[in-house]
Amino acid sequence: MAQQPGIIAIIGWLTVCYILIKVTYIIGIYLLPSRITHFAHVTPNGDSPWALVTGASDGIGTEFARELAHQGFNVVLHGRNDAKLSLVQEKLQKSYPGRSFKVLVADASRVECVNCIKSNQRTQKEAIGKGAPDFKSIRAALDGLHLTVLINNAGGGPSNPTFQLLQDFSEERIANNVSLNALFPLHLMRELLPTLSQNGPSLIMNISSMSDAGFPLLSSYGASKQFLMNLTRTVSLEMTLDDAVGRVEVLGVRVGRVTGVSHCDVKPSLFMPSSQTLARAALSRAGYGHGIVIGYWAHALQGVFVDVLPTWVEHHFIQTVMKKERDTELANKSD
């Protein structure tokens, strides 16, 4: 029994050392200068670099496009609403008259499931006509562009309501959400990797969420975003298997809550930055081979805090937060 205080002291010191190491590592990551211009190289023929940003019609996606244009890229703006994309294009063109912008319309929530894919060519064309994205056509639309950056930003959870038990989600809502967060970036990467490899050094940045750790009431969203992060790890390792494809950095960026989006339009704060601040911070993480990183430093500190909590405390904390989110949504709906 006399040894117990000594063991407790050792555990305490080890915990403190772990926190200090994590914090030091985080500080190091976020003090590094941005290397995004490493991917903004011009071809020997003088062709300027292009970036493709999915989900660019508002929020973080628009700010990614803005920051990339500021850093010397021409930008392809992807979304499913032509009118909204055209408005973003017009605004960016006025701000950056020396850059070029293109619009790419495709509904990321309508990727064909394996049970729907038929060998019959007519059936495939009919499916595409119903709104399913045609990835070969997307690649063809980008032919001739010196594409060096792909930002897989399109994503989100079901809405109206957002927070639900898994048993209350319909099959269609789950399928659309998994298509948006997992299948669309998966097939887009598959289709564009040859181009990005040829144009290297290039960057694929996959945007996830802190809720990919497994938050209740966000089952399809969190799980599909975790799929995207596992895909990031896998493809990143594949890039090192062959020097020919190793010129593509694959980076996963996890983000926390931000302002300036449809569901959170409040004044920015330390732990809830603006979409512009988040986009700039995320792009600054590129070029160092981090693999998967939290984009914004204050969100990373929140992650450290959660990591050191006992499991039961962490679960209780997350459940309390998510119940509050659901109650708020229900209260706003009833008003």
Side-chain angles (χ1 to χ4, degrees):
M1 295 296 293
Q3 295 180 347
Q4 287 185 356
I7 294 174
I8 294 173
I10 291 173
I11 294 174
W13 276 110
L14 289 174
T15 302
V16 171
C17 289
Y18 171 79
I19 295 174
L20 288 175
I21 291 172
K22 290 280 287 186
V23 171
T24 301
Y25 174 71
I26 289 172
I27 292 173
I29 287 177
Y30 300 99
L31 288 178
L32 294 171
S34 175
R35 283 185 177 177
I36 190 62
T37 54
H38 175 65
F39 307 102
H41 50 88
V42 179
T43 69
N45 295 330
D47 296 331
S48 298
W50 282 81
L52 167 59
V53 180
T54 70
S57 58
D58 55 23
I60 299 174
T62 298
E63 297 306 327
F64 273 127
R66 189 186 311 279
E67 183 63 20
L68 286 164
H70 180 72
Q71 296 292 347
F73 293 87
N74 302 316
V75 185
V76 180
L77 308 165
H78 160 268
R80 60 183 177 183
N81 187 313
D82 192 12
K84 291 178 68 175
L85 287 173
S86 296
L87 182 60
V88 173
Q89 180 186 24
E90 181 182 348
K91 291 180 178 179
L92 290 176
Q93 195 68 75
K94 287 182 179 179
S95 298
Y96 300 96
R99 305 282 179 257
S100 296
F101 300 91
K102 290 173 63 72
V103 165
L104 175 64
V105 179
D107 190 345
S109 69
R110 299 292 297 276
V111 176
E112 284 295 300
C113 64
V114 67
N115 293 331
C116 306
I117 296 175
K118 307 293 183 182
S119 59
N120 185 295
Q121 193 67 24
R122 178 174 176 273
T123 303
Q124 289 181 4
K125 290 181 179 179
E126 288 176 351
I128 292 169
K130 293 177 181 178
D134 180 355
F135 293 96
K136 291 188 183 302
S137 294
I138 290 175
R139 181 175 178 179
L142 302 174
D143 281 349
L145 303 183
H146 179 47
L147 185 71
T148 63
V149 171
L150 166 62
I151 309 292
N152 277 315
N153 166 76
S159 58
N160 300 318
T162 298
F163 306 102
Q164 278 188 302
L165 298 172
L166 175 60
Q167 65 199 44
D168 296 327
F169 278 102
S170 69
E171 181 179 348
E172 181 179 5
R173 281 164 63 85
I174 290 176
N176 289 346
N177 199 224
V178 172
S179 170
L180 174 63
N181 296 309
L183 296 181
F184 186 77
L186 169 67
H187 288 296
L188 194 60
M189 289 171 65
R190 172 186 57 79
E191 196 67 45
L192 296 182
L193 266 170
T195 299
L196 291 166
S197 298
Q198 179 180 339
N199 296 343
S202 299
L203 170 70
I204 296 175
M205 180 181 290
N206 294 326
I207 305 302
S208 185
S209 164
M210 302 284 281
S211 61
D212 65 12
F215 284 14
L217 307 177
L218 294 173
S219 51
S220 65
Y221 175 66
S224 54
K225 282 299 189 181
Q226 185 55 239
F227 174 100
L228 183 59
M229 290 300 93
N230 281 330
L231 176 65
T232 300
R233 293 184 185 95
T234 301
V235 179
S236 180
L237 290 173
E238 289 183 355
M239 294 299 96
T240 63
L241 293 177
D242 190 336
D243 290 339
V245 295
R247 302 170 70 195
V248 182
E249 177 181 353
V250 186
L251 176 66
V253 177
R254 302 173 67 219
V255 304
R257 297 189 67 180
V258 298
T259 66
V261 294
S262 57
H263 60 277
C264 187
D265 191 14
V266 297
K267 186 177 180 180
S269 63
L270 177 63
F271 292 105
M272 195 182 298
S274 67
S275 297
Q276 181 181 27
T277 297
L278 191 283
R280 184 179 296 118
L283 290 173
S284 296
R285 308 286 78 81
Y288 291 96
H290 289 313
I292 295 177
V293 67
I294 297 174
Y296 177 62
W297 68 271
H299 291 159
L301 288 180
Q302 288 178 316
V304 171
F305 168 74
V306 173
D307 284 346
V308 299
L309 293 175
T311 301
W312 70 270
V313 176
E314 176 189 349
H315 289 176
H316 178 73
F317 172 74
I318 292 174
Q319 287 176 321
T320 300
V321 170
M322 296 309 295
K323 284 180 179 178
K324 182 178 179 181
E325 292 285 351
R326 181 175 59 179
D327 292 343
T328 301
E329 181 178 56
L330 292 172
N332 291 337
K333 186 176 180 179
S334 63
D335 288 344

